[in-house]
Amino acid sequence: MCELYVKADPILYESRSRSLRIRGVVTTLRLENQFWDILREIAEVDGMTTNQLIAKLYEEVMDFRGEVVNFASFLRVSCTRYLAQKAGRQVPLRVVGAAG
């Protein structure tokens, strides 16, 4: 089983920074290449650029929650939820056993 993980091309987990404009402010996000690829795929499905998708996600999470403590982590979780949904698995709204 571990071969699936340990034999992954190191370029997939190499981090890359990208600058984009969110709410009129230029900001930099640092994510692993694998997540940039998934975000690009989500954006293409939704007919947007990756930067447009990220800005939209930021707007939506701010409208819904009022804050986002770690936006890069939010994007990573969004990617894993997209992949689970794409694979036909139920996507939970919260972690079982989590406080709150």
Side-chain angles (χ1 to χ4, degrees), residues 30-96:
R30 185 168 189 80
L31 296 171
E32 295 75 17
N33 288 320
Q34 180 83 59
F35 291 110
W36 287 119
D37 291 345
I38 296 166
L39 288 168
R40 181 180 36 78
E41 180 180 329
I42 297 168
E44 287 175 0
V45 167
D46 289 344
M48 297 184 232
T49 67
T50 303
N51 288 4
Q52 288 171 330
L53 171 70
I54 291 169
K56 182 170 179 60
L57 287 171
Y58 184 85
E59 290 293 331
E60 289 182 0
V61 74
M62 289 299 290
D63 288 347
F64 186 73
R65 299 238 175 250
E67 68 175 343
V68 59
V69 177
N70 187 332
F71 190 57
S73 291
F74 168 80
L75 291 174
R76 288 183 189 94
V77 170
S78 296
C79 289
T80 61
R81 292 172 61 82
Y82 166 78
L83 293 176
Q85 183 181 39
K86 184 177 170 184
R89 296 190 309 267
Q90 184 177 356
V91 181
L93 294 177
R94 61 179 47 216
V95 176
V96 176

Side-chain angles (χ1 to χ4, degrees), residues 11-28:
I11 196 77
L12 294 173
Y13 51 87
E14 183 177 288
S15 293
R16 186 172 80 226
S17 294
R18 192 170 186 171
S19 293
L20 62 147
R21 186 175 300 275
I22 298 177
R23 290 190 168 178
V25 177
V26 175
T27 188
T28 301

